[in-house]
Amino acid sequence: MNYAYLRQMPDNSNMSEQQRNILSFSLAQNLQIDKEVIEYSSKNHPIEERKKFEEFMHSLEEGSSLIVDTLSILSDRAEELIKIINCMLSRKIDLYIANSKTLLNKETTVVEIFPLLNDLREAQKAKSNQIGRPKGSRSSSKFDAYQSEIISLLREGMNVSAIARELGVSRSSLKDYIESRGIRELVEGSWMEITQPQGISGVDNTILVCPFEQERQQQKERIS
């Protein structure tokens, strides 16, 4: 089973960009994506508090593959990444990193993993030394807690005005949020059917696992 994993965080590239990069990489590597997994979190929680993510990781079966845009999508803390990578490799789960065209599996040596972790450390150091907000980052929004619901309503064909009325918020503010997060592009370009689990509206740190439903040929046409 091949999983595409996306994570929405203020400092990450938006999910539609992650999605495009993963799709391009998977096509180049002849990888068939079976499910798309989206983690929503309005804050950068430590891994110990990401219970849904932990449950998902433990649900992966031996021989599965996880495809991410960048390694920092899993975590931007090197110490946490070591735990995640160790968990995956010990259970014979392959990890593909699209932006570096890298595969980490049970054959990967520590010597090969170390440069990736070092790059992450350097990026974090540069970010901490930067004055002001890092380039490309976004501040948190009151709409972050409703992001999964917004995506589901857009998928159902509801327009921004109707969604604003449903949530009881300003249409213009909601429109700006959707555009800044690239949510419309994610919905229109999604190769997955995104479903809304019951009882998660407004809940932080939620993971959706969505079944693959469209043909590979449609993927190729979308990025051509």
Side-chain angles (χ1 to χ4, degrees):
M1 184 76 76
N2 295 328
Y3 295 87
Y5 173 83
L6 299 85
R7 185 181 181 203
Q8 181 64 73
M9 285 289 296
D11 290 342
N12 288 347
S13 56
N14 65 46
M15 289 190 292
S16 61
E17 182 179 344
Q18 295 176 43
Q19 186 186 63
R20 287 193 297 271
N21 294 340
I22 290 173
L23 180 56
S24 297
F25 172 78
S26 65
L27 288 172
Q29 299 295 319
N30 197 31
L31 291 170
Q32 179 71 47
I33 297 174
D34 300 301
K35 289 186 178 181
E36 179 182 58
V37 178
I38 304 175
E39 181 179 358
Y40 300 95
S41 184
S42 59
K43 299 178 182 178
N44 194 10
H45 295 286
I47 192 170
E48 290 80 8
E49 297 178 16
R50 294 164 61 192
K51 300 302 182 183
K52 293 292 185 180
F53 175 71
E54 183 179 5
E55 290 172 10
F56 165 68
M57 290 297 296
H58 285 292
S59 74
L60 295 176
E61 298 179 355
E62 182 177 312
S64 297
S65 296
L66 194 65
I67 309 167
V68 297
D69 180 20
T70 65
L71 195 58
S72 61
I73 294 298
L74 293 173
S75 175
D76 60 1
R77 298 176 174 92
E79 296 77 9
E80 293 185 347
L81 276 174
I82 292 173
K83 296 178 183 178
I84 295 171
I85 293 173
N86 180 64
C87 174
M88 295 182 67
L89 301 191
S90 65
R91 297 170 57 218
K92 300 180 181 179
I93 297 168
D94 294 343
L95 173 61
Y96 290 92
I97 307 165
N99 78 323
S100 61
K101 298 178 175 60
T102 304
L103 167 62
L104 302 183
N105 59 22
K106 61 184 180 64
E107 307 297 333
T108 304
T109 65
V110 174
V111 174
E112 295 173 283
I113 296 176
F114 181 76
L116 298 174
L117 298 176
N118 189 58
D119 288 345
L120 182 65
R121 287 181 184 274
E122 292 300 319
Q124 285 299 107
K125 185 185 297 184
K127 185 184 296 184
S128 63
N129 292 335
Q130 188 174 16
I131 298 176
R133 184 180 300 168
K135 183 179 179 180
S137 67
R138 299 177 298 278
S139 59
S140 59
S141 167
K142 64 181 180 181
F143 295 114
D144 287 339
Y146 302 100
Q147 190 174 89
S148 59
E149 185 175 356
I150 293 169
I151 290 175
S152 294
L153 294 175
L154 285 172
R155 290 283 296 177
E156 292 172 6
M158 190 176 290
N159 60 36
V160 175
S161 297
I163 295 174
R165 288 194 296 270
E166 178 79 14
L167 299 179
V169 298
S170 162
R171 178 192 178 281
S172 59
S173 297
L174 178 60
K175 182 175 181 290
D176 289 343
Y177 176 79
I178 290 173
E179 291 178 352
S180 68
R181 265 44 174 190
I183 293 176
R184 190 173 296 281
E185 290 84 356
L186 174 73
V187 171
E188 293 176 350
S190 180
W191 66 94
M192 310 295 172
E193 180 65 29
I194 298 180
T195 57
Q196 174 72 34
Q198 296 296 316
I200 68 169
S201 177
V203 176
D204 186 36
N205 199 39
T206 300
I207 288 183
L208 303 184
V209 180
C210 317
F212 178 86
E213 292 191 353
Q214 299 184 7
E215 297 297 328
R216 188 173 179 78
Q217 183 59 38
Q218 291 177 298
Q219 298 176 12
K220 294 180 180 179
E221 293 173 355
R222 187 173 296 117
I223 67 171
S224 61

